[in-house]
Every structure is written in structure tokens, then in C-alpha cells.
DNA sequence: ACACGGACTGTACGGTGTAAGGTAACGACC
DNA sequence: GGTCGTTACCTTACACCGTACAGTCCGTGT
């Protein structure tokens, strides 16, 4: 017994693989994920993984679903605006918790119903607020377009933002030619001094207010 | 003379490479772009390309910049709202013209000032509308988050949307369990019947109106 | 005790990006 | 016109990739 070689020799299973894969991607980025490397991490040959996933793509789908699954259950309290804000805050937190995974959330159309729970929740909140099904769907798409775009931009850096990684050779607004790009120069100080948390929330409120107004006027 | 081997033996140059690369990506997707394949397309060995680009990544940056460059000059006529709408319409058209390149537009922080011309233009329009530099920057980020998110979602398919590619095994709202996902079922008919052109514009107007109102109230 | 079946390994193939060095054609100069 | 240096391109090679296919080992049921 216990030739378990340390203990990393525990039997493989889907969840263990996905967990290790998420950790690996969080550390090395998606480019850094390879079947052999992941196998090494689990003390297993690369091909062993193919007993649990038909392809690397399927593994990546599972990674995305696992991360989306980290959005907890919605709170039932508060106005519909507050409840929606909470959902989208939670959504954006995924981006901060897993910046290398999050871009894939939008890129892979999720297929398992489980991962679509947040969609159902948001639609439900909107319907409860009095939106028609069509309005609810449209509002959902508007809100999530904004939220996804914002969260993604935050990850890779907004336009004009100095690159966060060490690579210096990047572009810097503060050194750009003021003759050719006066507006960019003008806003340069505000580029660095920016609280994305409150800015995100402001945009969300703006859209929510607009949607509420549109829904009101329609109902008259 | 004219052992030009058909004529494809014309001298290489950066623009010719980028043009071929964009065509290749448009056809085969980003995954389908490899140095060898691109070389074949240009009747040249893969390594020849490295005389014009230090790496494949640099090539991809050039691809993105070329595509962004397809946004024409802004029209000078109309209200600031109309002019902004025109800019973002043009932005979204990039996604439709180059669906496989567009996702990279947000993923690579563009470094060449040339590719940032649209940013300068949008900031200028906002400043001309009376926004402070800070408001202009914030409005720009809100608008472009939405526009990027929407255009991207359109490319990969919005949540719930039936997959456009032939692969049938995907998810379909219309067959989902109505007990577990009543809201999704409810909106299913509206998912397929959706004019993204007008929906995009509606969202844009909503945000523009909100920004204008916020700017007004601030100025009081 | 033995056979079976599932979990895992070994090997191999065709592809990838790109480092290093070779080669051939061209323009400039004496 | 001959020489030379530079540029443009090719050849080879390496390490790595996803994964098809076949083999091996081990726990379990009988």
C-alpha cells in the first residue's frame, strides 16, 4: 500500500483536472496551457487527460464553465436595480479573479445550461421589474455587452492606459505628440488617475436608468 | 527576365504580407494563421517573413492595426451625437468585415499612434460637445466598452443565440427545460427575431442620452 | 484463480514558432 | 568590369504542440 508516490497519485477525475487547469491558466495564461504541462502538474501523462475530455477544446470549455460557476447565487433583497448591479458586479469579479480565463467567457458560447444560470437570473430580475420578455432580453444584451466590454478592457488595459506589464517599449499617452493628438494629451492625467470600480458602476447606473425610462415610456 | 515563376515572385514587403495575412485570417481564422501557411500563400519560405516582422506576434499586431485603419475618416457634419454614432457604427462594421480579426482589436493594446486616431477623434467630438476632459474620457470608455462588447457578442453569438456554424450539438434555447429556465424559454422567440443593427443603435442612443444628461447636470 | 475492463503509459506523426547559418542576387564604387 | 558589402531569401534544426493508436498494468467480480 501507499506506493502512492507522495500522494499526487490520487485517482484522476474531471473536477481535479479542471481545477488544476484553471490554476495553470491563472498562472501562465491560456498560451501556457498545454496537455503535457497539465499532465505533469497532475503527475500523469498527457494522454491520460483524454479519458476525461475528448479534446483540449472540451477542456477549455470546462474551464470556462467552472469559472462562470463561481458567480454565486443572486441576493434576493433590494430593488431590481440593486439586484442587477449585484449580478454584474459579480460578473466583473470573475474578470479580476481569473483575468486569463475571462476573455474566453465571451469567446466560447457556453452550451451547458448550468453555466447559463446567471442569464436566467438576470432575465428573471428584469421580468420582475415589469419589462416585457422582449424588453428584458434587449436590456440584458445591452447591459452584458457593456459589462463584458468593460471588464475585458480592464484586463488588457483600456486604450491609452500605460501597459501594466513590465514591457516598457509600449505606448504612453503622456509622451505622445500634442500637435497630432491634443485630446489624448489633454486627458492623459485622468487616464492614470481612474477608479475603475466606481466608473464601472456609473456606466451601469446610466444604462439601468435609461432602460427603466424606456420601459416606463413604453408602458404608458 | 521573367523567371518570376508566374508573377507571385514579386518582391515581398510589409504591406503585401499584412494584406495576405488579413486575407488568410479572414478565411481560416486566427488559429489557421501559421507562418508556413502564410509563406506558402506568398510563394516564400516561412523564415522569409522574419525579415519584415520580428515575430508572429508582431505580425498579428500589424494585422490588427491594418484592420483598425479601415475605419475611415469621421464625417464633420451633424450633431455631436450623430458624429459619435457614425464613429461607433464604423467601429462595429470592422467586426462584420473581419469577424476573425476583430476580437484581437480589444485583446492587443494598440501601440502605434496611427491606430489610435479613432480614439483621438471620439475624444475630440466629446470635448466639442462641452464635456470636460475627464467626462470625455469616461464617456469614451463607457461607449467603447458597450460597442466592443456588443460587436464581439454579435460575432461569437449572444448568449442563448443558436450557433451559426453547422455544428448541431450546440445548445438551443427552444429546447431547454422550461421548468428550470422559464425566463429563457419565454424570451426564446425574441432571440431569433432580432435586428442587431437597430438594437445596437438603441443601446448607443441610450448611453449617449445618459451621458448628455450627466454632463448637463454637472455643468449647472 | 482468472479473466475482464477501465485507467494510464509509450510511441509516433504531422504540425507549430523561430534560432542559426548559408547562399545568391543586386547596387555602389574603384 | 571586377570586387565587395548588403539585403533578401532559403535550409536546417530544435523544442514543443495536439492527439491517434496500441500496449500495459491493476482492481474488481466471479
Amino acid at each position: 500500500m501507499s506506493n502512492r508516490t507522495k500522494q499526487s497519485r490520487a485517482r484522476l477525475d474531471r473536477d481535479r483536472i479542471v481545477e488544476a487547469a484553471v490554476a495553470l491558466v491563472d498562472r501562465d495564461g491560456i498560451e501556457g496551457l498545454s496537455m503535457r504541462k497539465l499532465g505533469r502538474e497532475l503527475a500523469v501523462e498527457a494522454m491520460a487527460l483524454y479519458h476525461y475530455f475528448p479534446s483540449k477544446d472540451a477542456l477549455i470549455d470546462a474551464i470556462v464553465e467552472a469559472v462562470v460557476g463561481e458567480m454565486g447565487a443572486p441576493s434576493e433583497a433590494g430593488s431590481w436595480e440593486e439586484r442587477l448591479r449585484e449580478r454584474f458586479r459579480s460578473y466583473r469579479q470573475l474578470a479580476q479573479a481569473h483575468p486569463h480565463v475571462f476573455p474566453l467567457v465571451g469567446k466560447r458560447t457556453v452550451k451547458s445550461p448550468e453555466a447559463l444560470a446567471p442569464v436566467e437570473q438576470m432575465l428573471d430580475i428584469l421580468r420582475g421589474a415589469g419589462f416585457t420578455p422582449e424588453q428584458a432580453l434587449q436590456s440584458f444584451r445591452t447591459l452584458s455587452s457593456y459589462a463584458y466590454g468593460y471588464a475585458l478592457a480592464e484586463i488588457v488595459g483600456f486604450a491609452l492606459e500605460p501597459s501594466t506589464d513590465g514591457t516598457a517599449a509600449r505606448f504612453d499617452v503622456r509622451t505622445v505628440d500634442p500637435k497630432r493628438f491634443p485630446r489624448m494629451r489633454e486627458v492623459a492625467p485622468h487616464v492614470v488617475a481612474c477608479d475603475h470600480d466606481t466608473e464601472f458602476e456609473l456606466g451601469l447606473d446610466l444604462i439601468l436608468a435609461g432602460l427603466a425610462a424606456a420601459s416606463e415610456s413604453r408602458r404608458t
Side-chain angles (χ1 to χ4, degrees), chain A residues 33-165:
Chain A
L33 170 66
S34 85
M35 299 305 265
R36 295 188 227 255
K37 197 147 73 163
L38 180 55
R40 216 174 299 133
E41 215 85 15
L42 291 160
V44 127
E45 293 303 311
M47 288 310 290
L49 305 171
Y50 284 86
H51 273 269
Y52 300 88
F53 298 93
S55 69
K56 187 187 183 185
D57 257 31
L59 208 204
I60 295 182
D61 283 344
I63 292 175
V64 171
E65 283 182 22
V67 165
V68 170
E70 287 184 18
M71 275 184 70
S75 85
E76 305 284 342
S79 70
W80 65 271
E81 285 102 331
E82 284 173 52
R83 293 171 64 203
L84 272 180
R85 264 195 291 270
E86 182 277 331
R87 286 289 75 191
F88 282 105
R89 256 194 295 266
S90 183
Y91 184 63
R92 173 163 165 267
Q93 273 167 8
L94 295 184
Q96 302 178 324
H98 306 281
H100 288 121
V101 178
F102 188 80
L104 305 172
V105 171
K107 198 151 300 172
R108 314 229 150 202
T109 41
V110 186
K111 14 183 181 284
S112 95
E114 280 69 25
L116 288 170
V119 177
E120 175 75 12
Q121 295 156 9
M122 294 174 186
L123 287 176
D124 190 57
I125 296 174
L126 286 162
R127 290 287 284 122
F131 289 76
T132 69
E134 189 174 7
Q135 287 173 332
L137 180 62
Q138 185 170 315
S139 301
F140 162 75
R141 281 199 283 239
T142 303
L143 285 163
S144 59
S145 293
Y146 166 73
Y148 182 68
Y150 196 95
L152 199 58
E154 235 179 323
I155 289 173
V156 308
F158 275 99
L160 308 185
E161 242 166 34
S163 58
T164 162
D165 55 2

Side-chain angles (χ1 to χ4, degrees), chain A residues 205-216:
Chain A
D205 288 352
L206 188 154
I207 297 176
L208 283 171
L211 292 173
S215 151
E216 282 299 319

